[in-house]
Every structure is written in C-alpha cells, then in structure tokens.
Amino acid sequence: MQTALLTKASSSTLPLFTLEAPQFRKSGDNAVPAVGSVHSYAKDEEIFAEGDRAAYVYKVLSGVVRTSKLLSDGRRQIDAFHLAGDIFGIEAGDEYRFCAESVGDCIVVAYRRSNLGALMGSDTQLAQDITMGMMRSLVRAQNHMLLLGRKSALEKIATFLLDMAERTSGDDALDLPMSRTDIADHLGLTIETVSRSFTQLERQGVIELPSARHVVLSNKAALERLNA
C-alpha cells in the first residue's frame, strides 16, 4: 500500500482534490495544504476489516471498492460497490460493520473521523461532498434492500446493469470492474444464476457480451421494463 498527501485545489474551477505525490499527480494539479491522506491498494487488498475501529471515513478517488459482510453460514453478502467520488466507512458506532476491499487497483482518501467535524466546518465543499455522499449511500442501500427482497434474478441483473451504466460510462456500453462472483454476492444469487441470466438477456437481444466483462446495453427499454 502506498500513501500520499491529499491537497485542496486553489480555484473553484478546478477539481476539489489534487494529489501531491508525483506518482499520482495529473497535469495541471497544484500543490496546496493537505486535508487528508491518500492510499493506493492493489486488487483484493483489504482497506479495513469488519470489527476494526472506525477511525477513518473514506472517499474513492479512482477504481472500485466493495464493502461486504461474512454471514454466519459462511456466505458473503456484498453491501455495495463504491466508485470514484463515493464515500464509504461512515459508521454511527465505534467499529466498522463491514469489511472494505479493493476490487482492482484503486486510490482512496482517508479522513480521520475525529477531525471530520472541524474539516467540514472549515471547508464548505468538503461538507457538501460528505453530505451528498451519505445521501447517495442511503438511497442505494434502500434500493438494494428492495432489490434483494422483491425482484427476480433477471430483474436484479437488469437493475444492476442500468445502475452501473449510469454510474460509470453513462452510455450503452460499460466495462464491469467486478467478477461474476462479486455480482452474485451483491445480488443474493449464485454465480450460475448470474451467468444464466446474462446468457438469457444476450439471447433475447437485450444485451451484447463481446467479452465477459464488457457489456453493451442493446435494448435499454427492455431493461427498464425489467427494472420497473
């Protein structure tokens, strides 16, 4: 794991965060005072474990993070996939209720929880980012609860694909960063059911699968009907 300093951009027309470490710097970044620490993680590396002290709140800068819980019967339930800009690790108690791992290579910024109130009080944009991140997480958690309890396998896959397309590319083609096993554990399905559902949607002309993780949404209207 690598660590760098997170800095705040000097102009409101620039991104809120820039990175001081050379290996993370993008052209046009400006060095300014740090407000958090940036960490890079390799594929499947743990960011925090269930039961760890909830000392930090995190924001994804690049890549994807999954949060999950191991159930008493040994099954894994993936609570959410956190993409660039998403906030995770917010807890009401003193311990993390889920573990967090990188899906692939990712970079996150960690805000010390004990300093978060002061940081938000002095940085309006940061306060807005945290608040909006919490609201988005709540909406996704509510939608995920309904998905798990009320939808069929095909409906779950349709909902998942539409959500990922909206959160990533925004168009009709997307590259899924997670494996079929991750998708199954997120949707409460078996990997066999996930694979059959993808194949069924492909045969019906609803999606195209040029490769295992590249998905083309050929018929969004049909997916929307399944998602209704």
Side-chain angles (χ1 to χ4, degrees):
M1 182 185 74
Q2 296 177 322
T3 304
L5 290 179
L6 180 73
T7 58
K8 182 182 174 184
S10 58
S11 168
S12 59
T13 62
L14 296 175
L16 176 61
F17 298 116
T18 58
L19 302 175
E20 189 173 309
Q23 62 268 37
F24 300 144
R25 180 181 292 279
K26 296 180 180 179
S27 59
D29 286 348
N30 296 314
V32 285
V35 295
S37 60
V38 170
H39 306 274
S40 65
Y41 294 89
K43 183 178 184 294
D44 294 327
E45 190 173 354
E46 184 179 87
I47 299 170
F48 57 77
E50 181 181 350
D52 281 355
R53 187 170 65 89
Y56 294 92
V57 171
Y58 297 85
K59 180 177 181 177
V60 182
L61 295 183
S62 67
V64 181
V65 172
R66 61 175 173 257
T67 46
S68 64
K69 180 183 286 286
L70 194 63
L71 305 179
S72 58
D73 60 4
R75 291 177 299 161
R76 181 184 64 160
Q77 178 63 56
I78 294 179
D79 162 65
F81 295 106
H82 307 276
L83 310 184
D86 289 345
I87 305 293
F88 67 99
I90 297 176
E91 296 288 352
D94 296 329
E95 296 181 348
Y96 292 117
R97 295 168 299 125
F98 299 88
C99 75
E101 301 164 313
S102 56
V103 172
D105 293 343
C106 74
I107 302 174
V108 303
V109 57
Y111 300 103
R112 189 174 289 277
R113 187 178 173 187
S114 58
N115 298 337
L116 198 57
L119 286 173
M120 293 175 66
S122 62
D123 191 325
T124 304
Q125 185 62 57
L126 176 61
Q128 182 178 350
D129 285 351
I130 295 290
T131 302
M132 291 304 297
M134 293 172 63
M135 292 173 66
R136 285 194 297 267
S137 295
L138 177 59
V139 169
R140 291 194 188 111
Q142 292 171 333
N143 289 340
H144 191 231
M145 177 183 66
L146 294 174
L147 176 149
L148 290 176
R150 294 293 181 181
K151 294 195 173 186
S152 68
L154 274 182
E155 290 169 343
K156 289 178 179 182
I157 295 295
T159 300
F160 176 76
L161 290 176
L162 289 170
D163 179 60
M164 289 302 299
E166 181 181 351
R167 296 173 65 193
T168 55
S169 61
D171 55 28
D172 294 340
L174 66 152
D175 290 295
L176 296 174
M178 66 288 296
S179 67
R180 297 284 175 91
T181 300
D182 279 352
I183 295 172
D185 288 349
H186 179 56
L187 300 180
L189 302 171
T190 65
I191 187 172
E192 293 81 10
T193 300
V194 169
S195 295
R196 282 197 302 269
S197 298
F198 271 96
T199 299
Q200 183 175 344
L201 291 173
E202 183 182 29
R203 287 174 177 169
Q204 293 173 349
V206 178
I207 64 172
E208 297 175 21
L209 295 172
S211 65
R213 296 198 182 189
H214 185 67
V215 183
V216 179
L217 309 186
S218 307
N219 190 342
K220 265 191 172 180
L223 289 173
E224 293 286 2
R225 287 194 294 271
L226 286 169
N227 186 40

